[in-house]
Amino acid sequence: ILAHPINRQGQLCKEPKNLKIVGMTLDELKKIPVSISIVATKEKEIPIYSALAGNHLRILISDEATASGVVKLLEKKRI
């Protein structure tokens, strides 16, 4: 999210490269009342799940197949 790698629980990964990212932090993102994420494809199901687990998404736009895959992950909590 915003070039910051997160783990499957939605927490910021503790990597040295996180210190070198120039831009908004995840805490700054949470302070914005309306943010829109547009994500699609099967490969993005786990990253979407992780972002939801970390409460990083406010509005999500995706295709039906990707959304269905994320819902299945949420229902099973299999990752």
Side-chain angles (χ1 to χ4, degrees):
I1 298 175
L2 299 173
H4 296 282
I6 57 173
N7 62 21
R8 290 187 178 175
Q9 291 73 42
Q11 301 166 341
L12 188 63
C13 293
K14 298 188 187 299
E15 296 184 21
K17 66 181 173 182
N18 271 331
L19 299 174
K20 297 180 181 182
I21 295 174
V22 176
M24 187 180 297
T25 66
L26 295 179
D27 288 334
E28 291 170 332
L29 175 63
K30 285 185 178 186
K31 292 177 184 175
I32 297 173
V34 178
S35 60
I36 301 171
S37 303
I38 303 171
V39 190
T41 73
K42 183 165 181 60
E43 293 79 16
K44 298 296 183 181
E45 290 174 4
I46 292 174
I48 293 169
Y49 173 93
S50 300
L52 289 169
N55 253 353
H56 300 298
L57 302 180
R58 301 273 188 267
I59 299 170
L60 173 64
I61 298 172
S62 191
D63 61 276
E64 185 175 350
T66 304
S68 294
V70 173
V71 168
K72 287 178 186 174
L73 289 173
L74 291 168
E75 290 173 344
K76 294 181 182 182
K77 294 186 181 180
R78 65 178 183 160
I79 58 171

XYZ file of all heavy atoms in Angstrom:
609
model
N 0.857 -1.171 0.000
C 0.000 0.000 0.000
C 0.897 1.225 0.000
O 1.754 1.354 0.880
C -0.929 -0.002 1.225
C -1.832 -1.221 1.169
C -1.721 1.274 1.297
C -2.697 -1.393 2.374
N 0.710 2.097 -0.982
C 1.555 3.296 -1.112
C 3.033 2.932 -1.125
O 3.854 3.624 -0.560
C 1.264 4.284 0.022
C -0.159 4.830 0.089
C -0.343 5.648 1.361
C -0.484 5.662 -1.126
N 3.360 1.788 -1.708
C 4.717 1.249 -1.834
C 5.243 0.648 -0.537
O 6.350 0.148 -0.496
C 5.692 2.290 -2.367
N 4.449 0.651 0.543
C 4.855 0.049 1.807
C 4.433 -1.419 1.823
O 3.247 -1.709 1.713
C 4.191 0.761 2.991
C 4.587 2.188 3.139
N 5.783 2.575 3.684
C 3.938 3.332 2.804
C 5.856 3.895 3.692
N 4.746 4.368 3.154
N 5.379 -2.346 1.995
C 4.981 -3.751 2.084
C 4.323 -4.043 3.435
O 4.770 -3.555 4.467
C 6.293 -4.521 1.944
C 7.383 -3.541 2.170
C 6.819 -2.181 1.979
N 3.228 -4.824 3.389
C 2.545 -5.226 4.615
C 2.505 -6.751 4.663
O 2.587 -7.408 3.627
C 1.113 -4.649 4.709
C 0.259 -5.065 3.512
C 1.141 -3.141 4.860
C -1.214 -4.675 3.620
N 2.365 -7.301 5.880
C 2.261 -8.750 6.010
C 0.804 -9.176 5.873
O -0.070 -8.341 5.642
C 2.882 -9.227 7.331
C 2.176 -8.673 8.551
O 1.027 -8.252 8.508
N 2.876 -8.672 9.667
N 0.531 -10.452 6.042
C -0.829 -10.965 5.835
C -1.814 -10.501 6.898
O -3.011 -10.611 6.723
C -0.806 -12.486 5.739
C -0.145 -12.925 4.459
C -0.248 -14.386 4.247
N 0.381 -14.714 2.968
C 0.540 -15.916 2.528
N 0.129 -16.935 3.244
N 1.114 -16.131 1.368
N -1.293 -10.005 8.013
C -2.161 -9.457 9.046
C -2.411 -7.962 8.839
O -3.091 -7.325 9.626
C -1.557 -9.685 10.437
C -1.550 -11.138 10.871
C -0.506 -11.972 10.141
O 0.619 -11.542 9.926
N -0.887 -13.171 9.743
N -1.825 -7.411 7.772
C -2.026 -6.006 7.448
C -1.093 -5.064 8.181
O -1.276 -3.850 8.146
N -0.076 -5.620 8.830
C 0.885 -4.794 9.559
C 2.071 -4.452 8.663
O 2.478 -5.245 7.821
C 1.369 -5.520 10.812
C 0.250 -5.874 11.756
C 0.680 -6.878 12.804
O 1.673 -7.565 12.649
N -0.083 -6.963 13.873
N 2.626 -3.285 8.877
C 3.785 -2.838 8.112
C 4.956 -3.782 8.351
O 5.281 -4.114 9.489
C 4.161 -1.420 8.557
C 5.219 -0.690 7.765
C 4.759 -0.470 6.330
C 5.524 0.640 8.416
N 5.581 -4.250 7.266
C 6.759 -5.107 7.397
C 7.926 -4.277 7.907
O 8.100 -3.130 7.517
C 7.125 -5.722 6.047
S 5.905 -6.885 5.433
N 8.700 -4.864 8.756
C 9.849 -4.157 9.320
C 11.070 -4.415 8.430
O 11.890 -5.254 8.722
C 10.098 -4.614 10.746
C 8.931 -4.313 11.655
C 9.255 -4.586 13.099
C 8.074 -4.447 14.004
N 7.426 -3.228 14.091
N 11.121 -3.676 7.362
C 12.209 -3.809 6.405
C 12.933 -2.480 6.281
O 12.303 -1.417 6.315
C 11.674 -4.221 5.033
C 11.027 -5.591 5.039
C 10.585 -6.008 3.659
O 11.096 -5.472 2.659
O 9.724 -6.885 3.578
N 14.255 -2.523 6.121
C 15.008 -1.267 5.987
C 14.531 -0.393 4.827
O 14.571 0.823 4.914
C 16.444 -1.732 5.747
C 16.495 -3.140 6.220
C 15.106 -3.687 6.107
N 14.023 -1.016 3.753
C 13.580 -0.204 2.610
C 12.360 0.646 2.949
O 12.096 1.638 2.291
C 13.345 -1.064 1.376
C 12.220 -2.047 1.484
C 12.128 -2.848 0.191
C 11.117 -3.956 0.328
N 11.046 -4.766 -0.860
N 11.603 0.282 3.979
C 10.469 1.116 4.397
C 10.929 2.490 4.848
O 10.202 3.470 4.733
C 9.684 0.449 5.531
C 8.593 -0.451 5.008
O 8.058 -0.228 3.935
N 8.276 -1.470 5.767
N 12.125 2.572 5.392
C 12.649 3.851 5.861
C 13.027 4.771 4.707
O 13.162 5.970 4.891
C 13.867 3.622 6.766
C 13.607 2.796 8.032
C 14.911 2.509 8.760
C 12.624 3.505 8.941
N 13.207 4.211 3.521
C 13.654 4.991 2.366
C 12.507 5.432 1.459
O 12.721 6.134 0.496
C 14.653 4.166 1.549
C 15.905 3.851 2.326
C 16.872 3.039 1.507
C 18.113 2.717 2.324
N 19.098 1.979 1.562
N 11.284 5.033 1.773
C 10.142 5.395 0.933
C 9.785 6.854 1.150
O 9.615 7.309 2.286
C 8.929 4.492 1.238
C 9.253 3.052 0.846
C 7.679 4.994 0.510
C 8.198 2.051 1.231
N 9.723 7.579 0.048
C 9.333 8.986 0.106
C 7.860 9.054 -0.272
O 7.469 8.658 -1.358
C 10.175 9.833 -0.876
C 9.701 11.269 -0.874
C 11.649 9.736 -0.530
N 7.049 9.501 0.640
C 5.624 9.590 0.370
C 4.824 9.442 1.643
O 5.354 9.450 2.751
N 3.537 9.285 1.486
C 2.616 9.191 2.600
C 2.825 7.882 3.370
O 3.056 6.835 2.775
C 1.188 9.247 2.051
C 0.120 9.331 3.097
S -1.530 9.398 2.360
C -1.436 10.922 1.448
N 2.718 7.957 4.684
C 2.806 6.763 5.511
C 1.423 6.141 5.650
O 0.406 6.771 5.328
C 3.342 7.097 6.919
O 2.373 7.910 7.585
C 4.680 7.816 6.864
N 1.377 4.920 6.155
C 0.087 4.266 6.365
C -0.731 4.991 7.438
O -1.950 5.068 7.352
C 0.291 2.804 6.744
C 0.930 1.931 5.656
C 1.095 0.502 6.153
C 0.122 1.960 4.379
N -0.069 5.532 8.446
C -0.777 6.314 9.462
C -1.392 7.576 8.864
O -2.504 7.964 9.227
C 0.156 6.678 10.622
C 0.491 5.486 11.493
O -0.321 4.531 11.538
O 1.549 5.501 12.133
N -0.669 8.223 7.950
C -1.218 9.409 7.283
C -2.412 9.031 6.405
O -3.392 9.768 6.334
C -0.134 10.093 6.453
C 0.943 10.753 7.296
C 2.143 11.217 6.482
O 2.441 10.619 5.423
O 2.782 12.176 6.917
N -2.329 7.876 5.759
C -3.437 7.405 4.920
C -4.697 7.214 5.759
O -5.797 7.575 5.336
C -3.062 6.095 4.223
C -4.163 5.417 3.408
C -4.592 6.302 2.241
C -3.700 4.065 2.917
N -4.541 6.664 6.958
C -5.704 6.416 7.820
C -6.397 7.705 8.249
O -7.572 7.697 8.599
C -5.283 5.607 9.040
C -5.036 4.162 8.712
C -4.746 3.345 9.945
C -4.558 1.896 9.539
N -4.416 1.009 10.681
N -5.692 8.819 8.220
C -6.272 10.107 8.621
C -7.108 10.742 7.514
O -7.843 11.691 7.758
C -5.168 11.070 9.053
C -4.490 10.639 10.332
C -3.352 11.572 10.687
C -2.613 11.073 11.920
N -1.445 11.888 12.222
N -6.989 10.231 6.306
C -7.753 10.760 5.176
C -9.154 10.148 5.217
O -9.291 8.919 5.205
C -7.051 10.450 3.841
C -5.699 11.150 3.792
C -7.924 10.858 2.659
C -4.856 10.775 2.604
N -10.200 10.961 5.280
C -11.555 10.414 5.449
C -12.054 9.590 4.264
O -12.807 8.644 4.449
C -12.427 11.644 5.665
C -11.628 12.798 5.210
C -10.191 12.412 5.278
N -11.666 9.940 3.054
C -12.113 9.192 1.878
C -10.904 8.835 1.027
O -10.208 9.715 0.525
C -13.117 10.011 1.026
C -13.521 9.229 -0.208
C -14.340 10.398 1.833
N -10.652 7.541 0.913
C -9.601 7.056 0.011
C -10.186 5.889 -0.766
O -10.965 5.100 -0.238
C -8.350 6.637 0.785
O -8.655 5.599 1.690
N -9.831 5.806 -2.025
C -10.390 4.794 -2.915
C -9.256 3.914 -3.429
O -8.254 4.411 -3.939
C -11.133 5.444 -4.096
C -12.260 6.335 -3.571
C -11.667 4.389 -5.054
C -12.921 7.191 -4.636
N -9.445 2.604 -3.296
C -8.477 1.630 -3.809
C -9.125 0.889 -4.969
O -10.242 0.402 -4.858
C -8.095 0.635 -2.710
O -7.594 1.307 -1.593
N -8.390 0.805 -6.073
C -8.880 0.089 -7.250
C -7.910 -1.062 -7.492
O -6.729 -0.843 -7.793
C -8.955 1.012 -8.481
C -9.854 2.207 -8.159
C -9.445 0.244 -9.701
C -9.837 3.296 -9.207
N -8.407 -2.282 -7.305
C -7.543 -3.459 -7.385
C -8.314 -4.592 -8.050
O -9.486 -4.800 -7.758
C -7.104 -3.922 -5.976
C -6.020 -4.970 -6.076
C -6.641 -2.765 -5.121
N -7.644 -5.350 -8.904
C -8.284 -6.492 -9.553
C -7.245 -7.565 -9.876
O -6.053 -7.305 -9.802
C -8.994 -6.048 -10.822
N -7.697 -8.711 -10.186
C -7.011 -9.939 -10.592
C -6.795 -10.876 -9.407
O -6.667 -10.458 -8.265
C -5.653 -9.743 -11.311
O -4.669 -9.325 -10.382
C -5.755 -8.784 -12.470
N -6.779 -12.146 -9.709
C -6.623 -13.201 -8.708
C -5.354 -13.016 -7.892
O -5.330 -13.280 -6.694
C -6.626 -14.566 -9.385
C -6.541 -15.716 -8.408
C -6.908 -17.011 -9.060
C -6.849 -18.157 -8.087
N -7.729 -18.048 -6.939
N -4.291 -12.530 -8.517
C -3.013 -12.341 -7.833
C -3.106 -11.307 -6.712
O -2.247 -11.259 -5.838
C -1.917 -11.919 -8.823
C -1.542 -12.995 -9.819
C -2.529 -13.124 -10.978
O -3.346 -12.207 -11.208
O -2.504 -14.178 -11.635
N -4.114 -10.476 -6.723
C -4.258 -9.417 -5.716
C -5.190 -9.801 -4.565
O -5.398 -9.000 -3.652
C -4.774 -8.130 -6.380
C -3.838 -7.577 -7.430
C -2.525 -7.156 -6.818
C -1.637 -6.539 -7.886
N -0.358 -6.129 -7.370
N -5.738 -11.019 -4.578
C -6.672 -11.421 -3.529
C -6.022 -11.384 -2.140
O -6.595 -10.847 -1.195
C -7.248 -12.802 -3.808
C -8.197 -12.814 -4.996
C -8.658 -14.202 -5.374
O -8.320 -15.196 -4.691
O -9.388 -14.311 -6.385
N -4.839 -11.960 -1.997
C -4.163 -11.970 -0.696
C -3.737 -10.559 -0.286
O -3.948 -10.174 0.873
C -2.991 -12.968 -0.678
C -3.551 -14.396 -0.763
C -2.140 -12.799 0.583
C -2.500 -15.482 -0.890
N -3.172 -9.741 -1.178
C -2.883 -8.359 -0.774
C -4.133 -7.577 -0.348
O -4.080 -6.805 0.616
C -2.240 -7.741 -2.016
C -1.629 -8.892 -2.736
C -2.568 -10.039 -2.485
N -5.263 -7.792 -1.014
C -6.505 -7.123 -0.607
C -6.910 -7.620 0.778
O -7.253 -6.824 1.659
C -7.640 -7.368 -1.626
C -7.331 -6.689 -2.957
C -8.978 -6.877 -1.075
C -8.255 -7.095 -4.090
N -6.867 -8.932 0.984
C -7.184 -9.513 2.293
C -6.313 -8.881 3.375
O -6.797 -8.496 4.438
C -6.978 -11.029 2.240
C -7.117 -11.713 3.578
C -8.338 -12.243 3.977
C -6.041 -11.832 4.437
C -8.485 -12.863 5.199
C -6.181 -12.450 5.665
C -7.393 -12.972 6.044
O -7.512 -13.574 7.264
N -5.021 -8.766 3.103
C -4.085 -8.185 4.072
C -4.413 -6.724 4.355
O -4.376 -6.279 5.508
C -2.651 -8.310 3.549
O -2.324 -9.670 3.342
N -4.731 -5.978 3.320
C -5.081 -4.565 3.498
C -6.366 -4.415 4.307
O -6.481 -3.523 5.153
C -5.226 -3.886 2.138
N -7.323 -5.309 4.089
C -8.547 -5.291 4.881
C -8.254 -5.656 6.337
O -8.782 -5.038 7.257
C -9.585 -6.259 4.295
C -10.214 -5.848 2.968
C -11.010 -7.010 2.380
C -11.102 -4.632 3.146
N -7.395 -6.646 6.540
C -7.035 -7.069 7.906
C -6.381 -5.929 8.679
O -6.574 -5.807 9.888
C -6.103 -8.276 7.850
N -5.631 -5.083 7.971
C -4.966 -3.960 8.620
C -5.807 -2.698 8.676
O -5.344 -1.657 9.122
N -7.052 -2.792 8.206
C -7.943 -1.619 8.197
C -7.387 -0.477 7.351
O -7.545 0.688 7.701
C -8.209 -1.125 9.618
C -9.592 -1.438 10.075
O -10.415 -1.907 9.315
N -9.848 -1.169 11.335
N -6.759 -0.804 6.236
C -6.144 0.206 5.385
C -7.054 0.687 4.259
O -6.735 1.661 3.598
C -4.840 -0.328 4.779
C -3.819 -0.715 5.791
N -3.268 0.184 6.677
C -3.268 -1.906 6.082
C -2.406 -0.433 7.455
N -2.388 -1.705 7.118
N -8.162 -0.009 4.023
C -9.029 0.340 2.898
C -10.334 0.961 3.387
O -10.950 0.482 4.331
C -9.360 -0.909 2.070
C -8.182 -1.681 1.489
C -8.681 -2.883 0.696
C -7.315 -0.794 0.623
N -10.746 2.029 2.733
C -12.030 2.668 3.033
C -13.055 2.273 1.958
O -14.132 1.819 2.251
C -11.903 4.194 3.044
C -10.917 4.727 4.023
C -11.571 4.918 5.389
N -10.684 5.616 6.298
C -9.856 5.013 7.137
N -9.791 3.716 7.178
N -9.079 5.700 7.942
N -12.685 2.493 0.705
C -13.544 2.147 -0.431
C -12.718 1.278 -1.369
O -11.598 1.637 -1.736
C -14.021 3.411 -1.181
C -14.845 4.294 -0.248
C -14.820 3.030 -2.426
C -15.145 5.668 -0.822
N -13.265 0.129 -1.738
C -12.560 -0.797 -2.621
C -13.382 -1.000 -3.885
O -14.571 -1.315 -3.815
C -12.344 -2.144 -1.920
C -11.761 -3.270 -2.771
C -10.351 -2.922 -3.241
C -11.762 -4.566 -1.994
N -12.739 -0.822 -5.013
C -13.355 -1.100 -6.314
C -12.586 -2.263 -6.919
O -11.349 -2.215 -7.028
C -13.296 0.131 -7.240
C -14.079 1.287 -6.623
C -13.828 -0.222 -8.628
C -13.924 2.604 -7.362
N -13.316 -3.314 -7.279
C -12.677 -4.494 -7.845
C -13.643 -5.190 -8.782
O -14.825 -4.819 -8.865
C -12.251 -5.449 -6.715
O -11.426 -6.470 -7.219
N -13.158 -6.220 -9.469
C -14.042 -7.002 -10.320
C -14.687 -8.110 -9.481
O -14.249 -8.408 -8.368
C -13.277 -7.582 -11.516
C -12.176 -8.507 -11.076
O -11.073 -8.024 -10.751
O -12.427 -9.723 -11.025
N -15.744 -8.692 -9.997
C -16.516 -9.673 -9.236
C -15.695 -10.905 -8.868
O -15.789 -11.408 -7.740
C -17.756 -10.091 -10.038
C -18.680 -11.004 -9.271
C -19.970 -11.319 -10.017
O -20.241 -10.694 -11.052
O -20.703 -12.197 -9.547
N -14.892 -11.399 -9.779
C -14.098 -12.607 -9.505
C -13.107 -12.358 -8.371
O -12.957 -13.195 -7.470
C -13.374 -13.053 -10.774
N -12.416 -11.223 -8.395
C -11.461 -10.894 -7.335
C -12.180 -10.714 -6.008
O -11.755 -11.241 -4.977
C -10.676 -9.611 -7.689
O -10.042 -9.797 -8.958
C -9.623 -9.298 -6.650
N -13.281 -9.998 -6.014
C -14.054 -9.775 -4.786
C -14.551 -11.097 -4.208
O -14.477 -11.307 -2.989
C -15.224 -8.836 -5.068
N -14.999 -11.996 -5.047
C -15.456 -13.305 -4.577
C -14.319 -14.090 -3.940
O -14.499 -14.748 -2.912
C -16.049 -14.117 -5.733
O -17.229 -13.506 -6.203
N -13.146 -14.009 -4.547
C -11.976 -14.682 -3.978
C -11.595 -14.122 -2.618
O -11.249 -14.877 -1.696
N -11.681 -12.818 -2.455
C -11.367 -12.180 -1.167
C -12.403 -12.587 -0.122
O -12.046 -12.904 1.020
C -11.296 -10.644 -1.308
C -11.145 -9.984 0.049
C -10.142 -10.251 -2.218
N -13.661 -12.622 -0.507
C -14.722 -13.029 0.423
C -14.470 -14.465 0.898
O -14.604 -14.766 2.088
C -16.122 -12.889 -0.218
C -17.190 -13.575 0.621
C -16.451 -11.422 -0.424
N -14.067 -15.343 -0.001
C -13.760 -16.727 0.385
C -12.611 -16.771 1.381
O -12.647 -17.537 2.348
C -13.436 -17.564 -0.848
C -14.649 -17.884 -1.687
C -14.284 -18.659 -2.926
C -15.496 -18.850 -3.821
N -15.156 -19.475 -5.089
N -11.590 -15.951 1.155
C -10.466 -15.896 2.096
C -10.934 -15.399 3.459
O -10.540 -15.924 4.494
C -9.365 -14.985 1.563
C -8.566 -15.477 0.376
C -7.632 -14.371 -0.121
C -7.779 -16.711 0.735
N -11.773 -14.377 3.459
C -12.284 -13.827 4.717
C -13.134 -14.849 5.464
O -13.061 -14.960 6.692
C -13.090 -12.558 4.455
C -12.292 -11.350 3.991
C -13.212 -10.256 3.472
C -11.419 -10.821 5.123
N -13.953 -15.603 4.722
C -14.810 -16.600 5.347
C -14.003 -17.746 5.946
O -14.289 -18.230 7.027
C -15.814 -17.157 4.333
C -16.872 -16.159 3.943
C -17.772 -16.631 2.820
O -17.414 -17.603 2.112
O -18.838 -16.029 2.645
N -12.955 -18.151 5.240
C -12.134 -19.270 5.692
C -10.993 -18.841 6.605
O -10.476 -19.639 7.369
C -11.563 -20.028 4.486
C -12.620 -20.699 3.662
C -12.000 -21.434 2.507
C -13.089 -22.080 1.657
N -12.527 -22.847 0.550
N -10.573 -17.582 6.470
C -9.389 -17.085 7.173
C -8.262 -18.097 7.045
O -7.622 -18.477 8.014
C -9.703 -16.783 8.640
C -10.661 -15.649 8.800
C -10.831 -15.276 10.237
C -11.832 -14.153 10.324
N -12.077 -13.693 11.666
N -8.044 -18.511 5.819
C -7.124 -19.623 5.568
C -5.690 -19.213 5.321
O -4.842 -20.045 5.061
C -7.622 -20.444 4.389
C -7.612 -19.683 3.075
C -8.053 -20.539 1.942
N -7.941 -19.773 0.711
C -7.873 -20.295 -0.474
N -7.909 -21.587 -0.614
N -7.779 -19.533 -1.526
N -5.401 -17.927 5.363
C -4.021 -17.553 5.080
C -3.319 -17.058 6.328
O -3.909 -16.797 7.335
C -3.918 -16.494 3.973
C -4.694 -15.250 4.342
C -4.406 -17.060 2.656
C -4.455 -14.109 3.392
